Amino acid sequence: MRISDFDILIIPGLGGSAPDHWQSRWEAKLSTARRVEQQNWHSPRLEDWTARIITEVKAAKRPVLLVAHSLGVTAVVHAAPHLPPEVVRGAFLVAPPADSVLIEAAGPGFTPLPRAPLPFPSVLIASRNDPYAPYDESEEISYAWGSRLLDAGEAGHINLDSGHGPWPEGLMSLAGFLKLL
């Protein structure tokens, strides 16, 4: 399938994605992409975040591709059991935070991070020096979720602070993932 065959749901993490963040750039560049807006980007509630994802998936007109970063990944995996697998064709999951970070940043409602296999194909992109997730924990959750793991090397949290504005390597990884769907 081609990228234009999907409704691409961009799911940012805590604070949303700034205009120069790779997710915002992809949203502007990809004609079928739209952001899953949250009521509160800075004081998240798991129930609200997962409900918005479920609502947006149900509103989709085409098969859905989820593109989530950081706390957005956490919300996706919590919402996954409630998402119709015949609609969600795949998830591109970037830099999910560790449970210890989730408790500190988002509160206990987001933990523990689910370990059940996802009901749709997925790829997890992890960095070897992400300050919010040790690589070995990212590796462990990718296996638990049944996700294909892509090693981003020493890429930090794969956000603006780590120099990932346009992130062309990410787009190439997304294109490779689409070939598998």
Side-chain angles (χ1 to χ4, degrees):
M1 296 181 84
R2 298 172 311 181
I3 204 154
S4 61
D5 294 333
F6 292 95
D7 275 345
I8 302 165
L9 299 182
I10 305 287
I11 305 163
L14 191 64
S17 292
D20 286 338
H21 189 284
W22 61 268
Q23 282 188 308
S24 297
R25 290 173 182 245
W26 290 12
E27 179 185 0
K29 182 178 185 156
L30 303 172
S31 64
T32 63
R34 70 180 185 277
R35 181 178 304 242
V36 174
E37 290 291 347
Q38 297 295 344
Q39 184 176 12
N40 191 331
W41 288 110
H42 300 284
S43 296
R45 289 191 42 207
L46 179 63
E47 299 80 19
D48 296 340
W49 279 41
T50 56
R52 286 293 300 148
I53 293 168
I54 293 164
T55 298
E56 290 295 325
V57 166
K58 289 181 178 178
K61 305 292 184 222
R62 291 177 281 264
V64 169
L65 176 64
L66 304 170
V67 176
H69 179 256
S70 194
L71 191 62
V73 174
T74 305
V76 164
V77 297
H78 277 284
H82 310 288
L83 299 175
E86 67 277 3
V87 175
V88 177
R89 297 290 176 84
F92 190 81
L93 309 171
V94 181
D99 277 334
S100 58
V101 172
L102 287 171
I103 290 171
E104 184 177 320
F110 282 83
T111 60
L113 197 59
R115 298 298 201 265
L118 295 175
F120 38 74
S122 60
V123 62
L124 188 153
I125 311 230
S127 168
R128 296 242 172 215
N129 65 341
D130 188 335
Y132 303 114
Y135 185 81
D136 60 340
E137 186 170 329
S138 296
E139 187 174 38
E140 183 267 320
I141 62 173
S142 76
Y143 294 134
W145 295 342
S147 299
R148 182 173 162 228
L149 179 66
L150 292 181
D151 183 342
E154 293 191 358
H157 192 52
I158 312 176
N159 61 3
L160 278 175
D161 291 342
S162 61
H164 294 85
W167 196 34
E169 301 87 355
L171 271 177
M172 290 174 30
S173 296
L174 179 64
F177 177 55
L178 289 178
K179 289 180 182 179
L180 303 174
L181 301 181

